[in-house]
Amino acid sequence: MNFYDQTGKMAIGSRLRLLTDKITEDAAEIYKLYQVDLQPKWFPVFHALSQKENTITEIAQLIGHSHPSVSKIVAEMSKKGIVTEKKDKADGRRNLVSLSKKGKEIAEKIREQYTDVNSAIEEILSGTRNDLWKAIGEWEFVLEQKSLLRRVQDQKKLRESSHVQIVDYKPAYAKAFKALNEEWISAYFKMEEADHKALDNPETYILKRGGAIIVALYNGEPVGVCALIKMDDPHYDFELAKMAVSPAAQGKNIGWLLGQAIIEKARALGASTLYLESNTILKPAINLYHKLGFKKVAGHVSPYERCNIQMELKLE
C-alpha cells in the first residue's frame, strides 16, 4: 500500500475501488463454493425480490441504484431464468418483477451461505480497530448532506479566494471598470444612458459625488469591480451598483468578497440603508444579494429598462 500512503487521501476513490474489486472477486468464488448461480452485482436486486415482488422503479429506490442499472440486472437475471416479469393486475401500466421457481430455490439454498459469510465478516471486523460497516454508514450520511464534489468546489473557492485582494479604485483601473461592466451588460442586455454616465467618467459621476468604487485583484490583475453611488433619497444612502466579475474569474468567490467589502465600505461612510437594482434572469447575482442580506422591495423609479427587481439592505 506504499503507493496509497504516498498519494494520501486524495486517492480514496481508487483505494476503495481496489478493496471493492478484491471483495467482488472473492464473492464470485463464494457463489461457486456454494453452487449458487448468481453474480455478485445481482445480489441487491435478488435479495430485494426474495422479500417480495416489486417494480423496477421500486427496486431501484429500495437499493439506491439507478433505474437503468436495475433494468439491466433484471434482464440478465431473466435470461438465467431467475426472475420473471408480469403485468400488475391492479395497474396494467406496471410490470412486476418476482423470483421464478429457480430463483426461489436459490433463495432457499443461499441461506447457509448467508450464515457463513456473516460469520466471516464478523471475524474480519473483530480483527480491526475500526468498524468499517459503521464507518461506511457515517460516510454515506455525511455525503448525503454535502457531496464530495461540493466540498472540493468549496475548498477550491477558499484556496483561490486567498489570492484575491480588494483595493480602492484609482485611475489606473478605469479601463477595467468600464470593460468588466460592458462585458456582462452586453451579454444579457444593452448599454443604456445611465451605464455610459457611470462607466465613461466614474470619478465625476461616482467618486466626486461621495460614492466609492472597489476593485478585486486576482494575482494582481483586476477581475472584479463594484461601486457605491450616492443617492439623493429619503430612504437610501447609496446604491450598490456596477458589480461585475470577469467570466474567466468566476467560481473563485470574488462576487461574495466584493459584496462583503462594499457593504463594509458603506458602513464606514455612515450608511444605514443600501439599495440595488437587478434583473431576475441573473440568478447567481440574485442569490448572492440574498446571501448578503438584501431583501426585495418595490416602488422606486429606475433609470434602467432592464431593471425588474429592486432590493434593499438595512445596515445594523
Side-chain angles (χ1 to χ4, degrees), residues 230-250:
K230 185 68 176 174
M231 296 181 69
D232 182 15
D233 187 276
H235 303 293
Y236 304 116
D237 302 297
F238 293 97
E239 177 186 359
L240 188 158
K242 302 305 174 218
M243 180 185 280
V245 176
S246 168
Q250 288 175 1

Side-chain angles (χ1 to χ4, degrees), residues 159-226:
R159 176 179 53 79
E160 292 181 335
S161 65
S162 69
H163 298 286
V164 178
Q165 182 184 9
I166 307 296
V167 300
D168 288 329
Y169 174 91
K170 58 184 180 181
Y173 299 133
K175 185 177 179 180
F177 181 64
K178 182 176 182 179
L180 288 168
N181 272 283
E182 284 185 338
E183 185 176 21
W184 83 260
I185 293 169
S186 301
Y188 294 96
F189 310 103
K190 65 179 182 180
M191 292 286 290
E192 300 182 42
E193 183 181 353
D195 294 313
H196 291 293
K197 286 181 180 179
L199 300 178
D200 290 342
N201 198 347
E203 289 90 350
T204 301
Y205 188 79
I206 299 174
L207 299 179
K208 289 183 179 180
R209 294 184 179 184
I213 302 172
I214 58 174
V215 180
L217 305 178
Y218 184 69
N219 291 331
E221 292 295 319
V223 294
V225 292
C226 189

Side-chain angles (χ1 to χ4, degrees), residues 21-292:
D21 288 345
K22 287 181 179 179
I23 294 173
T24 302
E25 287 172 11
D26 277 354
E29 293 303 315
I30 290 168
Y31 283 120
K32 291 179 184 178
L33 178 66
Y34 289 83
Q35 298 181 333
V36 170
D37 190 17
L38 285 180
Q39 293 184 28
K41 68 176 180 177
W42 296 350
F43 177 73
V45 174
F46 174 80
H47 191 267
L49 291 174
S50 71
Q51 307 304 305
K52 69 184 186 80
E53 63 182 8
N54 252 321
T55 66
I56 289 176
T57 299
E58 289 167 339
I59 297 169
Q61 291 172 344
L62 180 65
I63 68 176
H65 286 203
S66 68
H67 188 283
S69 171
V70 173
S71 182
K72 183 179 179 182
I73 289 172
V74 166
E76 292 172 357
M77 294 173 70
S78 182
K79 284 184 180 179
K80 284 285 188 176
I82 298 170
V83 300
T84 60
E85 291 187 73
K86 63 181 180 182
K87 290 290 183 183
D88 185 352
K89 292 180 180 179
D91 186 347
R93 296 169 299 178
R94 294 173 10 126
N95 273 5
L96 285 174
V97 184
S98 59
L99 292 181
S100 65
K101 181 181 178 182
K102 178 181 177 180
K104 290 175 182 176
E105 289 172 353
I106 292 174
E108 189 63 34
K109 184 179 181 180
I110 205 172
R111 293 184 186 277
E112 292 181 347
Q113 179 180 328
Y114 286 168
T115 300
D116 295 345
V117 169
N118 275 324
S119 296
I121 297 296
E122 288 294 338
E123 182 184 5
I124 293 171
L125 292 174
S126 67
T128 62
R129 288 186 300 169
N130 303 300
D131 190 324
L132 179 61
W133 192 253
K134 289 181 180 178
I136 290 172
E138 290 172 349
W139 271 71
E140 288 171 339
F141 175 79
V142 170
L143 291 175
E144 276 290 319
Q145 314 311 306
K146 189 177 182 181
S147 71
L148 177 59
L149 173 61
R150 282 283 310 281
R151 291 169 191 273
V152 172
Q153 288 172 332
D154 288 347
Q155 291 300 318
K156 181 175 183 286
K157 281 186 179 181
L158 190 62
R159 176 179 53 79
E160 292 181 335
S161 65
S162 69
H163 298 286
V164 178
Q165 182 184 9
I166 307 296
V167 300
D168 288 329
Y169 174 91
K170 58 184 180 181
Y173 299 133
K175 185 177 179 180
F177 181 64
K178 182 176 182 179
L180 288 168
N181 272 283
E182 284 185 338
E183 185 176 21
W184 83 260
I185 293 169
S186 301
Y188 294 96
F189 310 103
K190 65 179 182 180
M191 292 286 290
E192 300 182 42
E193 183 181 353
D195 294 313
H196 291 293
K197 286 181 180 179
L199 300 178
D200 290 342
N201 198 347
E203 289 90 350
T204 301
Y205 188 79
I206 299 174
L207 299 179
K208 289 183 179 180
R209 294 184 179 184
I213 302 172
I214 58 174
V215 180
L217 305 178
Y218 184 69
N219 291 331
E221 292 295 319
V223 294
V225 292
C226 189
L228 288 174
I229 300 176
K230 185 68 176 174
M231 296 181 69
D232 182 15
D233 187 276
H235 303 293
Y236 304 116
D237 302 297
F238 293 97
E239 177 186 359
L240 188 158
K242 302 305 174 218
M243 180 185 280
V245 176
S246 168
Q250 288 175 1
K252 293 177 171 54
N253 226 25
I254 292 174
W256 172 249
L257 295 174
L258 279 170
Q260 288 184 308
I262 204 70
I263 289 170
E264 287 308 309
K265 176 75 73 174
R267 284 197 177 98
L269 292 172
S272 60
T273 311
L274 297 184
Y275 169 82
L276 68 79
E277 298 180 341
S278 189
N279 189 289
T280 50
I281 69 168
L282 306 173
K283 291 183 180 179
I286 301 301
N287 290 336
L288 171 63
Y289 299 142
H290 279 298
K291 188 177 177 182
L292 289 167

